[in-house]
Amino acid sequence: MRKNAVIQAMVIAGLIASTPLAHAASNLVFCSEGSPAGFDPGLYTTGTDFDAAAETIFNRLSQFERGGTAVIPGLAEKWDVSDDGLIYTFHLRPGVKFHTTEYFKPSREFNADDVLFTFNRMLDTNHPFRKAYPTEFPYFTDMGMDANIAKLEKLDDLTVRFTLNEVDAAFIQNLAMSFASIHSAEYADQLLKQGNAADINQKPIGTGPFVFKRYQKDAQIRFTGNKDYWKPDDVKIDNLIFAINTDASVRIQKLKAGECQVTLNPRPADLESLAKDPNIVMPSQPGFNDGYIAYNVTHPPLDQLQVRQALDMAVNKQAIIDAVYQSAGQLAVNGMPPTQWSYNEAIKDAGYNPEKARELLKAAGVAEGTEITLWAMPVQRPYNPNAKLMAEILQADWANVGIKAKIVTYEWGEYLKRSKAGEHDAMLIGWSGDNGDPDNWLGTLYGCDAVDGNNFSKWCDADYDKLIKAAKRTTDVAERTKLYKQAQVILKHEVPITPIAHSTVYQPMRKNVQGFKISPFALNSFYGVSVGK
């Protein structure tokens, strides 16, 4: 490592500075894997963005318990649901303060106006703030919430009411997700008057456990503990630093050297050495995730079912799991993990069959040597520890049946932006569950409403969509399970994706880190976490 890089790493870790840190035990450095695209959680769909904002700066009306899938009160102390399941009344928490920073000083506490601003900006394309800062809200629209929320009302300063057009069995879980983070309406008004609406995404203000200080792309994000947090026992760190490095081996070196206290997404090859390090612990749990290939069904020849079936059969999944996931992966069959309720265990893979794949390609009229692009993620994610290596294996598998795949990659934010625009032919992507509900997989990733968002296959099947929407409109779990299992049969038959693997999640950290819990949703939360000597 070059001298200046070593110095930069030490500065980020707080090991050298113009003045020593007075309380070293109250500082935590997180070796993160990528730069966020911004700090407004409503605009994004990835864990990298959510870790940097939703899990630090913001809160939501309802929230997930740390390390679990149960929904607990957040900025709403409680809520009532009407008998017909269409009206949700939220009773807001009094006395919650927004952050005070060098660029904003609140004159009031959190109230119903902030909830209305947050959701009306997503609901109304003519909202003044959205006009000033034209943005899209992919998660909100992918889940059909823009169409289903009929009305949002302020009953008084601490009471808001949502009225839905149709029953949404996962509505409370959805509001606990990162995209539903609550913004300050007063701050938004200030930005509008200043003509700086876009600063909401660069200079964030929330009510969360950490206050944003500064961001240097591809280097670091700095936060301070929120001394006015409404749940004071959750703030045990004075300074939280995200030290950003896309190279997993560098992150591990920094962890071993004590330059950071927590990291994520270790390479399978590093697991053994980490387990032997006496200063490191490595909790793990089965991943609530799915790594897969998405086929863009709007691009010939992938618009033909036979071609997608052929590419699917040409993939040697076990070879990929052995090389890419090593001991930390399980073969995937469906478009969601087997730990998700309503998973259809009766569905089986077509299996690795290159001979049959060649026959299907010939029957579809696809010439030997036909070229397609195969996009590979530039970052590690829990569902894919090494997309570059996976792409190279797939390239060889498909060459074996006469398809030439050109591997393409971009910076992570650009990768997502371009793929959502449909520029790819086939791409490596995946998902970690966000709320424990089947709709978060079957609707968010493969539904018609998500075609311009997280549905990277651009696949829209009317029969499939009818089933998943019917499942979302009933609260009867048995009925929902039946409908989701039927939908999975269609998804498997039409092959918009090839599921590859579900990975085990490992979270290496220094032994002196206390209170950290692995999230089933692949998020990294530092409230309630402390660092001992």
Side-chain angles (χ1 to χ4, degrees):
M1 190 181 290
R2 293 176 301 173
K3 182 179 178 182
N4 63 340
V6 173
I7 292 172
Q8 182 188 36
M10 292 174 72
V11 170
I12 290 171
L15 298 178
I16 62 174
S18 56
T19 56
L21 292 169
H23 305 287
S26 64
N27 297 283
L28 187 147
V29 181
F30 170 51
C31 279
S32 65
E33 90 294 2
S35 295
F39 294 89
D40 180 350
L43 308 187
Y44 306 110
T45 61
T46 77
T48 302
D49 300 300
F50 294 156
D51 282 352
E55 294 302 303
T56 51
I57 301 163
F58 292 97
N59 294 121
R60 290 147 293 286
L61 293 176
S62 56
Q63 298 191 171
F64 294 108
E65 65 177 0
R66 272 198 318 132
T69 60
V71 177
I72 60 176
L75 291 179
E77 288 187 311
K78 60 181 180 178
W79 47 83
D80 309 312
V81 186
S82 62
D83 291 342
D84 61 6
L86 294 176
I87 299 173
Y88 289 75
T89 304
F90 290 87
H91 305 277
L92 307 182
R93 188 178 299 277
V96 175
K97 293 179 168 61
F98 278 100
H99 299 159
T100 295
T101 68
E102 60 185 18
Y103 50 87
F104 178 67
K105 293 178 172 54
S107 67
R108 63 165 176 81
E109 296 176 341
F110 158 74
N111 67 28
D113 292 334
D114 304 306
V115 179
L116 265 63
F117 166 74
T118 298
F119 288 96
N120 282 333
R121 182 174 66 119
M122 293 192 277
L123 284 165
D124 182 6
T125 55
N126 292 314
H127 190 280
F129 198 91
R130 192 157 167 187
K131 284 288 189 181
Y133 179 42
T135 48
E136 299 300 326
F137 300 92
Y139 231 137
F140 189 71
T141 53
D142 285 2
M143 300 174 77
M145 294 183 76
D146 56 330
N148 198 31
I149 297 175
K151 188 165 52 173
L152 175 56
E153 302 167 274
K154 171 184 175 180
L155 303 187
D156 58 46
D157 277 353
L158 291 177
T159 316
V160 293
R161 176 184 291 161
F162 288 81
T163 301
L164 308 184
N165 288 313
E166 296 174 331
V167 172
D168 181 349
F171 188 67
I172 293 295
Q173 287 92 329
N174 294 344
L175 292 187
M177 292 165 59
S178 299
F179 76 89
S181 295
I182 303 298
H183 289 268
S184 164
E186 184 184 16
Y187 179 50
D189 287 342
Q190 173 183 302
L191 293 177
L192 270 182
K193 290 172 183 174
Q194 295 171 344
N196 296 326
D199 278 359
I200 200 170
N201 195 26
Q202 302 302 323
K203 298 178 178 179
I205 292 291
T207 59
F210 297 97
V211 181
F212 176 80
K213 297 302 289 184
R214 63 181 181 272
Y215 169 48
Q216 183 181 353
K217 185 176 170 61
D218 298 330
Q220 62 172 298
I221 314 169
R222 284 186 172 264
F223 309 88
T224 57
N226 180 7
K227 301 305 181 187
D228 293 321
Y229 193 48
W230 53 271
K231 200 173 180 183
D233 288 347
D234 275 356
V235 182
K236 300 179 179 181
I237 300 167
D238 289 334
N239 297 285
L240 173 63
I241 301 112
F242 281 32
I244 301 165
N245 199 300
T246 58
D247 189 326
S249 62
V250 173
R251 296 197 301 270
I252 294 305
Q253 289 167 14
K254 288 186 174 184
L255 182 72
K256 287 183 174 182
E259 294 177 13
C260 61
Q261 286 74 49
V262 181
T263 189
L264 76 172
N265 303 339
R267 299 179 307 172
D270 290 327
L271 296 177
E272 185 177 352
S273 68
L274 284 167
K276 292 178 179 177
D277 193 311
N279 297 310
I280 291 172
V281 293
M282 195 166 49
S284 65
Q285 65 184 32
F288 193 49
N289 58 49
D290 198 357
Y292 59 91
I293 308 165
Y295 304 112
N296 188 340
V297 302
T298 69
H299 284 197
L302 300 172
D303 56 342
Q304 297 183 65
L305 175 58
Q306 285 180 309
V307 174
R308 301 195 299 275
Q309 289 173 327
L311 293 178
D312 179 82
M313 290 182 187
V315 176
N316 188 341
K317 289 188 185 181
Q318 192 57 54
I320 289 175
I321 290 171
D322 291 343
V324 176
Y325 296 85
Q326 297 181 29
S327 61
Q330 160 189 2
L331 189 143
V333 175
N334 288 356
M336 61 185 189
T339 48
Q340 173 64 67
W341 65 267
S342 80
Y343 180 88
N344 192 337
E345 296 180 353
I347 292 174
K348 306 299 178 187
D349 251 350
Y352 176 54
N353 193 336
E355 294 78 16
K356 178 66 174 176
R358 281 185 169 276
E359 292 175 11
L360 287 169
L361 289 169
K362 184 176 180 180
V366 177
E368 181 94 12
T370 292
E371 295 185 5
I372 63 171
T373 58
L374 170 59
W375 289 27
M377 302 181 304
V379 297
Q380 278 186 299
R381 302 303 300 152
Y383 49 75
N384 191 333
N386 192 336
K388 181 177 182 291
L389 177 57
M390 186 184 292
E392 290 168 351
I393 297 171
L394 287 171
Q395 187 180 49
D397 283 346
W398 288 345
N400 188 40
V401 297
I403 297 295
K404 291 179 66 176
K406 178 186 176 183
I407 297 174
V408 175
T409 194
Y410 293 97
E411 180 272 331
W412 185 224
E414 193 70 11
Y415 185 88
L416 292 170
K417 179 182 176 182
R418 287 174 175 265
S419 53
K420 285 178 181 179
E423 294 183 17
H424 61 290
D425 291 330
M427 68 178 291
L428 296 179
I429 195 66
W431 195 253
S432 294
D434 282 319
N435 66 12
D437 193 89
D439 181 72
N440 185 238
W441 301 89
L442 301 180
T444 301
L445 301 182
Y446 321 115
C448 294
D449 290 340
V451 162
D452 293 324
N454 290 311
N455 183 343
F456 294 103
S457 300
K458 309 298 178 185
W459 175 73
C460 177
D461 183 283
D463 292 334
Y464 173 89
D465 223 53
K466 184 178 179 181
L467 287 168
I468 62 168
K469 286 183 174 175
K472 195 175 179 182
R473 291 171 191 150
T474 176
T475 56
D476 185 315
V477 173
E479 178 65 14
R480 294 187 79 202
T481 297
K482 182 181 78 172
L483 294 167
Y484 283 133
K485 285 187 173 183
Q486 292 172 9
Q488 288 169 71
V489 172
I490 297 174
L491 180 69
K492 191 66 177 177
H493 179 267
E494 293 299 314
V495 203
I497 65 165
T498 291
I500 300 292
H502 313 294
S503 68
T504 302
V505 174
Y506 293 89
Q507 191 91 45
M509 65 187 75
R510 303 287 295 182
K511 272 191 173 178
N512 59 342
V513 175
Q514 298 161 358
F516 188 96
K517 295 187 178 183
I518 297 177
S519 163
F521 308 132
L523 298 173
N524 293 277
S525 306
F526 296 96
Y527 57 94
V529 178
S530 62
V531 182
K533 293 182 180 180

